[in-house]
Amino acid sequence: DAGVIQSPRHEVTEMGQEVTLRCKPISGHNSLFWYRQTMMRGLELLIYFNNNVPIDDSGMPEDRFSAKMPNASFSTLKIQPSEPRDSAVYFCASSPAGGRNYGYTFGSGTRLTVV
Amino acid sequence: DAKTTQPNSMESNEEEPVHLPCNHSTISGTDYIHWYRQLPSQGPEYVIHGLTSNVNNRMASLAIAEDRKSSTLILHRATLRDAAVYYCILYTSGGSNYKLTFGKGTLLTVNP
């Protein structure tokens, strides 16, 4: 089991550029989550999907952020245009359906730096 | 969302047991108690969870108070690798909505 796979591990981009973060969940997991972590705000849930359908995107900061899950094995988080305040570590996690009785498995994260 | 209260930091010595407390006085009957930890420069890692009864697994034990208003994560023999931020989280669900909301956690330091 390769776990949750995120790419890239590190991304440095200039302000105004489009950034796409990628996530491959664990096969068979029905739920997928995107989190962001900063020193100031800690771990924040941005959006989660259940069976590829976005269930709650209330944590998405603004319209510059969008997330998709075109199939059960792939999800993207896109920021367009990027701003320096978007600099953070972005984590993807997955869990079996009915996640409260199961643990989440997190990926290693993507460290994004916007200069 | 139901909230938890944890000490900001704790310190332990290697090979000694560690008891990490968590208060959750507003817990509801259907909330599961989850514990995660985050080692430096890594993503959060699931540790253990429970509803009413005490739970044991290869990583730790979870002791849940009879009134469920508090719980304790027990590491039986701390190692240097256990140095991490430990999060106690109430997993609130409603219908098909499942959310895991992280607080600030407890920073555990393990002394050699």
Side-chain angles (χ1 to χ4, degrees), chain B residues 6-12 17-21 73 84 105-111:
Chain B
Q6 299 178 255
N8 289 333
S9 63
M10 290 185 64
E11 206 166 319
S12 174
V18 181
H19 290 234
L20 296 162
L73 179 70
T106 296
L107 175 62
L108 176 66
T109 301
V110 180
N111 300 315

Side-chain angles (χ1 to χ4, degrees), chain A:
Chain A
D1 185 354
V4 175
I5 300 172
Q6 291 187 247
S7 64
R9 286 299 307 274
H10 302 274
E11 177 81 35
V12 180
T13 190
E14 292 186 348
M15 182 173 63
Q17 296 298 306
E18 177 179 296
V19 175
T20 299
L21 311 181
R22 297 172 176 79
C23 175
K24 177 179 169 54
I26 290 175
S27 176
H29 281 190
N30 298 73
S31 298
L32 183 139
F33 309 83
W34 283 100
Y35 284 83
R36 177 174 69 175
Q37 186 171 35
T38 61
M39 288 294 293
M40 290 294 293
R41 301 174 68 91
L43 273 159
E44 302 174 278
L45 175 64
L46 299 178
I47 185 171
Y48 76 92
F49 295 83
N50 201 36
N51 292 321
N52 311 338
V53 176
I55 301 299
D56 186 346
D57 65 355
S58 60
M60 296 285 263
E62 48 196 273
D63 292 345
R64 297 186 297 107
F65 286 68
S66 62
K68 294 183 179 179
M69 192 164 185
N71 57 61
S73 60
F74 184 65
S75 176
T76 60
L77 178 67
K78 185 177 294 186
I79 308 172
Q80 166 64 22
S82 58
E83 296 182 3
R85 59 189 168 131
D86 302 330
S87 297
V89 181
Y90 291 81
F91 291 104
C92 175
S94 69
S95 77
R100 69 176 178 170
N101 201 23
Y102 301 91
Y104 287 20
T105 302
F106 282 78
S108 298
T110 295
R111 181 174 295 276
L112 174 65
T113 303
V114 183
V115 298

